Amino acid sequence: MSLINRATREDLSYYHYNPSLAVSIVAAILYSIAFILTLVQWIRYKAWVWSVMVVAAAMEAVGYIARCVSVQHVADRSIYALQLCLVILAPVLMAACCYILFSRILILIVPQEARTLKLCWVPPRWITPIFVGFDIIALLLQLIGAVMISSVDSTDTDAQDKLDRGKHIAQVGVIIQLAAFGLFAVAAVRFNFTSKRFAKSLGDRYEDFGDKEYLIDGIAKNKHWPALLRVVNFTTILILVRSVYRLVEFTEGNTGYLNTHEWPLYVFDALVIYPCVALFVYWHPARYLPYLGFRVPKEANVSRDFELQIR
């Protein structure tokens, strides 16, 4: 990331540009609001698996709050490292949320006998463990890389070598995330079209509860699940855009354009990632999905109508 250089006041700075306090304050306020609303909805709906998004939103909020402090103390390594690591890692958890939601949507919409590799390439119950597994690897590599980059001291004789090693490790993490998330994105977008043949059968498997809701396991859920699927797809695209930005940033090196200018951080990371938190405040998964515990009940994997013929 940013190579240590001399600031105008001759203190060591961990930024390769003059960071803006005003913009960091705006980002901190927006993400703090999004975090508070996400936390309130999590408590309201008791959607325990959504704690992953709560943690991700908290990381973004704390990350930009820490950045507000860091831009006023540009030579403080610990604060710089904190804000860097939190902002880099939070979207990795958001990607995990997309995996979880897509898997639960499949379980809700598709009868058990139709959940084949041909339909979604990965069995629904394996989507979360497989893709989250890649996510964890990507997270660890990016964490190691970010820590190595932010802990480099300009007085070290091998400072450049340490920066390069950290950059390369973080690059590998982003590449793994891009590869796994890219495959997932194609499968998720493709499901928008393949899911239409199952939508008509929902009325046969779930009891109507008024015009807008189904009664699933005695709990009313919104019928308009495609809205949630579209939000997941949109979020997936945004995270992909941000991942490409980070990959280019790591690839360019310390003197690249993205590392020597601040605006790309806010445009391609802060601004792009914000909807990934904010949109789910309104289109909360608990409004549409019945199973948001950490484990899906066994009965959820059994079709409610074994006589249903898929054509």
Side-chain angles (χ1 to χ4, degrees), residues 3 20 45 82 138 147 156 228 273:
L3 181 64
S20 170
Y45 289 113
L82 177 64
V147 170
D156 293 341
L228 179 62
I273 289 299

Side-chain angles (χ1 to χ4, degrees), residues 23-39 50 53 56-62 64 86-87 90-92 94-95 98 231 234-243 245-246 264-283:
V23 179
S24 61
I25 289 174
V26 171
I29 291 173
L30 290 175
Y31 273 104
S32 295
I33 293 172
F35 162 66
I36 291 171
L37 293 176
T38 300
L39 179 63
W50 206 237
M53 181 60 83
M59 289 171 67
E60 290 282 2
V62 174
Y64 284 106
L86 290 177
V87 171
V92 182
M94 296 177 194
C98 290
V231 173
F234 183 58
T235 299
T236 300
I237 294 170
L238 292 179
I239 295 175
L240 277 174
V241 171
R242 178 264 179 193
S243 297
Y245 155 69
R246 285 296 183 181
L265 167 69
Y266 289 107
V267 172
F268 295 112
D269 198 317
L271 187 61
V272 166
I273 289 299
Y274 188 75
C276 300
V277 181
L279 290 176
F280 286 113
V281 172
Y282 180 79
W283 286 281

Side-chain angles (χ1 to χ4, degrees), residues 163-218:
L163 283 169
D164 288 340
R165 282 197 297 270
K167 179 191 72 174
H168 292 150
I169 291 173
Q171 267 183 312
V172 173
V174 175
I175 290 171
I176 291 174
Q177 182 185 1
L178 268 174
F181 208 58
L183 176 61
F184 168 78
V186 173
V189 172
R190 176 175 174 269
F191 186 68
N192 278 277
F193 304 98
T194 58
S195 64
K196 292 179 180 179
R197 59 177 170 150
F198 303 110
K200 296 179 180 179
S201 69
L202 289 178
D204 299 328
R205 288 182 283 136
Y206 302 115
E207 179 184 350
D208 283 335
F209 190 71
D211 295 332
K212 297 182 179 180
E213 294 177 316
Y214 290 122
L215 201 61
I216 305 175
D217 291 345

Side-chain angles (χ1 to χ4, degrees), residues 6-298:
R6 292 281 179 181
T8 54
R9 58 190 179 89
E10 296 188 352
D11 281 340
L12 288 176
S13 174
Y14 282 86
Y15 297 92
H16 217 254
Y17 47 76
N18 292 322
S20 170
L21 176 61
V23 179
S24 61
I25 289 174
V26 171
I29 291 173
L30 290 175
Y31 273 104
S32 295
I33 293 172
F35 162 66
I36 291 171
L37 293 176
T38 300
L39 179 63
V40 169
Q41 293 287 65
W42 176 66
I43 295 172
R44 174 189 175 188
Y45 289 113
K46 297 181 175 62
W48 306 125
V49 76
W50 206 237
S51 58
V52 179
M53 181 60 83
V54 175
V55 172
M59 289 171 67
E60 290 282 2
V62 174
Y64 284 106
I65 291 171
R67 187 175 178 88
C68 292
V69 178
S70 179
V71 299
Q72 299 176 79
H73 303 279
V74 294
D76 190 315
R77 181 192 299 177
S78 59
I79 299 298
Y80 173 80
L82 177 64
Q83 62 86 27
L84 176 67
C85 292
L86 290 177
V87 171
I88 284 179
L89 299 178
V92 182
L93 296 183
M94 296 177 194
C97 291
C98 290
Y99 301 144
I100 293 169
L101 287 187
F102 184 61
S103 175
R104 304 298 167 92
I105 290 172
L106 279 172
I107 290 172
L108 172 71
I109 302 305
V110 182
Q112 190 272 341
E113 64 273 14
R115 298 171 196 164
T116 62
L117 291 176
K118 183 179 179 181
L119 175 70
C120 57
W121 301 345
V122 179
R125 65 192 184 96
W126 289 106
I127 288 174
T128 300
I130 289 175
F131 285 106
V132 169
F134 283 113
D135 226 30
I136 291 172
I137 295 173
L139 185 148
L140 291 176
L141 289 173
Q142 290 181 63
L143 174 60
I144 293 170
V147 170
M148 290 179 65
I149 290 169
S150 60
S151 62
V152 173
D153 194 317
S154 63
T155 59
D156 293 341
T157 57
D158 59 345
Q160 190 60 50
D161 290 338
K162 290 180 178 178
L163 283 169
D164 288 340
R165 282 197 297 270
K167 179 191 72 174
H168 292 150
I169 291 173
Q171 267 183 312
V172 173
V174 175
I175 290 171
I176 291 174
Q177 182 185 1
L178 268 174
F181 208 58
L183 176 61
F184 168 78
V186 173
V189 172
R190 176 175 174 269
F191 186 68
N192 278 277
F193 304 98
T194 58
S195 64
K196 292 179 180 179
R197 59 177 170 150
F198 303 110
K200 296 179 180 179
S201 69
L202 289 178
D204 299 328
R205 288 182 283 136
Y206 302 115
E207 179 184 350
D208 283 335
F209 190 71
D211 295 332
K212 297 182 179 180
E213 294 177 316
Y214 290 122
L215 201 61
I216 305 175
D217 291 345
I219 302 174
K221 296 295 177 181
N222 195 303
K223 287 183 178 180
H224 196 40
W225 58 268
L228 179 62
L229 180 60
R230 285 193 290 269
V231 173
V232 171
N233 289 334
F234 183 58
T235 299
T236 300
I237 294 170
L238 292 179
I239 295 175
L240 277 174
V241 171
R242 178 264 179 193
S243 297
V244 170
Y245 155 69
R246 285 296 183 181
L247 180 60
V248 174
E249 181 189 38
F250 287 131
T251 303
E252 279 189 340
N254 308 313
T255 58
Y257 184 88
L258 297 181
N259 276 302
T260 54
H261 295 78
E262 187 176 28
W263 72 264
L265 167 69
Y266 289 107
V267 172
F268 295 112
D269 198 317
L271 187 61
V272 166
I273 289 299
Y274 188 75
C276 300
V277 181
L279 290 176
F280 286 113
V281 172
Y282 180 79
W283 286 281
H284 196 281
R287 294 177 56 195
Y288 307 89
L289 303 177
Y291 310 113
L292 287 175
F294 285 102
R295 298 187 66 179
V296 179
K298 291 182 178 179

